[in-house]
Amino acid sequence: MKKLIYLMVFASLLLVACGKSAEPKEVAVDQNTSVEDIVGVIVKNEFSVEESKGVVTISIQDTDVTEGSKSQMLKDSTKIFAELSKLKSVKTPAITWYAPLTEPDGDKTMTEVLNIYFSEEDYNKVDWTNYLQVDIESSATNYHEDKALED
């Protein structure tokens, strides 16, 4: 009987360990970490980064858009902004998400669906250590979403 109980406890622990974690991925950030490293850990989509004198612009191509994508884009964006806040070189970050939208003639084109920008002042006001509680839509200096994402 004891063996059965141990087996059940072991099996339940194994199932929990194999389950998908809802926790965001952690990024080990130091001053040698690049913006590309941070974004690459958080999103699995194709992306590009432009940096110049503290201005960081990230463009993400979300080719596997599904229901609930806006929520995931916001979570990923918030996590990226939080991790970027650990880099002294980042002053004004922006993230633009692109996704394929079907045109009236049936063609799918990559279209800007979400754009989030922070001025240096607004970026420094946010408590990024508690990024899970950040309402990025109201905290950002500029927040724009395509009507395709509107609830």
Side-chain angles (χ1 to χ4, degrees), residues 3-147:
K3 287 182 182 179
L4 182 60
I5 292 172
Y6 286 125
L7 183 60
M8 288 174 37
V9 168
F10 177 74
S12 64
L13 288 174
L14 186 60
L15 287 172
V16 168
C18 293
K20 185 175 180 181
S21 173
E23 291 297 311
K25 298 172 186 162
E26 288 302 315
V27 182
V29 176
D30 61 31
Q31 290 309 305
N32 294 323
T33 303
S34 71
V35 174
E36 287 88 354
D37 294 338
I38 291 170
V39 178
V41 169
I42 297 169
V43 299
K44 298 303 174 205
N45 303 308
E46 188 177 318
F47 65 90
S48 64
V49 174
E50 293 178 32
E51 293 182 74
S52 177
K53 298 178 184 169
V55 178
V56 175
T57 304
I58 301 164
S59 298
I60 303 171
Q61 307 288 323
D62 192 354
T63 55
D64 59 342
V65 178
T66 59
E67 288 294 318
S69 288
K70 176 185 174 183
S71 172
Q72 191 60 49
M73 286 178 193
L74 291 175
K75 286 178 189 173
D76 289 348
S77 296
T78 305
K79 179 65 176 166
I80 291 168
F81 286 129
E83 294 301 327
L84 291 179
S85 73
K86 298 174 185 175
L87 298 177
K88 301 273 187 248
S89 62
V90 176
K91 305 292 183 219
T92 58
I95 298 175
T96 303
W97 289 83
Y98 295 89
L101 297 181
T102 305
E103 298 296 318
D105 61 3
D107 288 338
K108 284 193 170 196
T109 59
M110 290 303 278
T111 304
E112 181 181 311
V113 293
L114 185 62
N115 182 286
I116 307 165
Y117 164 79
F118 280 92
S119 68
E120 185 173 1
E121 181 182 349
D122 290 340
Y123 192 55
N124 291 329
K125 284 182 191 175
V126 177
D127 179 7
W128 293 109
T129 56
N130 293 321
Y131 72 91
L132 292 173
Q133 280 74 45
V134 173
D135 178 3
I136 201 160
E137 294 177 63
S138 62
S139 301
T141 306
N142 181 49
Y143 176 90
H144 178 271
E145 66 183 53
D146 187 89
K147 62 184 177 214

